Amino acid sequence: MTRSEFDDIRAFLADPASQAGDLLAVARALVEDLEQARMREAVLRTHYLRLLTAARASVAAEYAGADDPMTFVKHELGGRGQLPEQGEAVQRILSDARTAAALLACLAEREAKPRPRGSVRLRRCVGPARSLPR
C-alpha cells in the first residue's frame, strides 16, 4: 500500500461524516489487503529460499568436483522461465539487474521525500482494487 493510500484512509477515518458501516468496509478491505500482502511475502520468501538453496548446493557440488555443479541453479531458474537464452550477453543481464535496482532506489527516495508545504493533496484512493465509500 502506498503512502498516499495510507493518507487517504487516515483522512477518511478522521472525517466526522464517515458512517460506521463505511468504516467497517474499510477495515475489511484493509484486512484483505494485509492477508494478500502476507501471502505475496510468503511466496517471495519461498522463491528466495529455493534459489539460495540451489546456489549453495551448486557451490558444494563445485567443491566436490561434480561434472555440472550448476545443475541445481539451472533447474531452479528453468522452473521459473528465467534461464538466459543461449549466447545472451552477461553484461545485458547484469545491466537489467542494475537498472532494476536503480529504479527501486529512485522510487524509495521519491516516497521518502516530504511533500512541499502548501501543496494541494487530492483525497482519493488511487489503488486499483480499493475505493473508499462516499
Side-chain angles (χ1 to χ4, degrees):
M1 184 179 300
T2 65
R3 175 92 175 152
S4 174
E5 288 175 315
F6 277 116
D7 291 345
D8 293 342
I9 291 169
R10 278 192 196 97
F12 182 76
L13 295 174
D15 185 359
S18 296
Q19 300 295 317
D22 296 340
L23 297 175
L24 183 59
V26 169
R28 285 184 178 139
L30 289 174
V31 168
E32 184 178 314
D33 280 357
L34 180 60
E35 186 176 303
Q36 289 175 1
R38 290 185 66 145
M39 287 301 294
R40 281 191 306 269
E41 179 188 9
V43 167
L44 288 174
R45 283 177 184 259
T46 301
H47 292 323
Y48 170 78
L49 289 175
R50 289 179 62 134
L51 187 57
L52 180 63
T53 301
R56 293 184 72 219
S58 291
V59 170
E62 181 185 21
Y63 290 165
D67 291 335
D68 187 12
M70 293 298 291
T71 300
F72 304 104
V73 173
K74 288 176 184 176
H75 175 75
E76 216 28 61
L77 292 176
R80 310 235 179 281
Q82 294 295 315
L83 274 175
E85 296 292 324
Q86 191 69 24
E88 190 170 5
V90 173
Q91 292 305 322
R92 185 179 126 350
I93 295 170
L94 293 175
S95 69
D96 287 349
R98 272 190 236 112
T99 301
L103 288 172
L104 286 174
C106 182
L107 181 62
E109 179 183 308
R110 193 175 107 214
E111 286 184 3
K113 286 184 182 176
R115 284 187 297 123
R117 290 213 177 260
S119 65
V120 176
R121 182 152 190 73
L122 181 60
R123 295 286 180 193
R124 64 180 172 84
C125 191
V126 295
R130 177 186 287 73
S131 62
L132 298 175
R134 296 283 175 206

